[in-house]
């Protein structure tokens, strides 16, 4: 039973990446999914999340308008499309499943995402 984030890499500023969060051993469709990141020397921060229905999404101000979260329950996968990447987006990105967001929440409860996957490194540099 695990989550696995993938799709990271080294890109130049302004370019794009799409991260995937795939589940094995359980189905994602009953869970909200959050994307988090942690840069060296910084605390982990919530970046984006999507409700279990897919009907509601949330973005941190730092990524709003550049990142898009989506889910494909048939593929048991959640995606994070990251456009117009900046050097400050450099971090290890993690996905997590839980109850931290729903269609009835105005703001995520980041502490309620309890099932974590391994991260994927994103480096934005020229």
């Amino acid at each position: 039973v695990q989550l696995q984030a993938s799709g990271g890499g080294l890109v130049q500023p302004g370019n794009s990446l799409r991260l995937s969060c795939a589940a094995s051993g359980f189905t994602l469709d009953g869970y909200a999914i959050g994307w988090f990141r942690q840069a060296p020397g910084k605390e982990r921060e919530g970046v984006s999340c999507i409700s279990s229905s897919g009907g509601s999404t949330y973005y941190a101000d730092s990524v709003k308008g550049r990142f898009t979260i989506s889910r494909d329950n048939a593929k048991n996968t959640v995606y994070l499309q990251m456009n117009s990447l900046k050097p400050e987006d450099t971090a290890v990105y993690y996905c997590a499943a839980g109850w931290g967001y729903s269609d009835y929440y105005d703001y995520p409860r980041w502490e309620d995402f309890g099932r974590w996957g391994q991260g994927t490194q994103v480096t934005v540099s020229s």
Side-chain angles (χ1 to χ4, degrees), residues 11-19 37 47 59 62-69 79-89 93 122 124:
V11 297
Q12 293 185 336
N15 284 1
S16 299
L17 281 173
R18 188 177 78 158
L19 304 184
R37 67 186 181 187
V47 172
Y59 300 94
S62 57
V63 306
K64 197 173 296 182
R66 300 187 297 122
F67 290 12
T68 303
I69 191 170
Y79 304 98
L80 186 68
Q81 178 67 42
M82 307 188 297
N83 298 331
S84 302
L85 283 162
K86 304 176 180 180
E88 51 263 44
D89 295 318
Y93 283 72
V122 172
V124 185

Side-chain angles (χ1 to χ4, degrees), residues 15-57:
N15 284 1
S16 299
L17 281 173
R18 188 177 78 158
L19 304 184
S20 298
C21 175
S24 60
F26 73 106
T27 57
L28 291 180
D29 62 2
Y31 294 91
I33 305 299
W35 282 99
F36 299 76
R37 67 186 181 187
Q38 187 164 22
K42 295 187 177 181
E43 292 187 355
R44 186 176 64 198
E45 64 172 335
V47 172
S48 180
C49 58
I50 188 166
S51 63
S52 60
S53 72
S56 298
T57 57

